[in-house]
Amino acid sequence: MEGVKERMLERQIEGQLGRGIRALNGLYFKFVSPGNAGVPDRIVVLPNGRTFFVELKRPGEKLRPLQKKTIEMIRDKGAYVEVVDSLASIDALISRLGDELD
């Protein structure tokens, strides 16, 4: 039963992120890159043109080494990557993004 709770919470985090991005009039896409393991889960595009990646994790779950390396490579190119692992971290991200759009 514990695994079900964790999966449900991950879905809640994903759902809350999608709702928050849509509330900002942004776009929220699942990112799949065949042959490239370790890429972030989502791409977000905001009305001001800001585009970035989001890696979703269950509460307390750590990035795998390949994910860390991939995120570092993306950031080294000047792109923004956010890692969220809780409803609170989603709320904080949406609040920051909303402030940027004001």
Side-chain angles (χ1 to χ4, degrees):
M1 194 66 173
E2 189 64 31
V4 172
K5 283 175 104 175
E6 289 176 358
R7 280 195 305 274
M8 287 179 65
L9 189 49
E10 188 170 354
R11 271 188 243 138
Q12 288 174 327
I13 291 169
E14 183 176 350
Q16 185 160 334
L17 177 63
R19 286 187 297 275
I21 295 299
R22 286 189 292 275
L24 296 174
N25 201 28
L27 302 173
Y28 173 75
F29 301 105
K30 181 176 181 86
F31 182 46
V32 180
S33 182
N36 295 296
V39 298
D41 298 308
R42 301 288 181 267
I43 297 174
V44 173
V45 182
L46 296 177
N48 61 0
R50 184 165 184 205
T51 303
F52 61 95
F53 300 91
V54 178
E55 175 62 37
L56 298 164
K57 290 297 194 187
R58 284 177 277 187
E61 187 178 26
K62 303 294 183 205
L63 293 170
R64 295 186 320 268
L66 182 56
Q67 289 175 312
K68 285 182 183 180
K69 181 179 179 184
T70 302
I71 288 170
E72 182 180 313
M73 289 184 339
I74 293 169
R75 287 176 174 162
D76 284 348
K77 297 297 183 194
Y80 181 70
V81 181
E82 183 76 27
V83 178
V84 293
D85 68 353
S86 68
L87 299 177
S89 64
I90 299 272
D91 289 343
L93 174 61
I94 297 302
S95 178
R96 277 195 326 266
L97 295 172
D99 289 347
E100 291 176 14
L101 292 174
D102 288 340

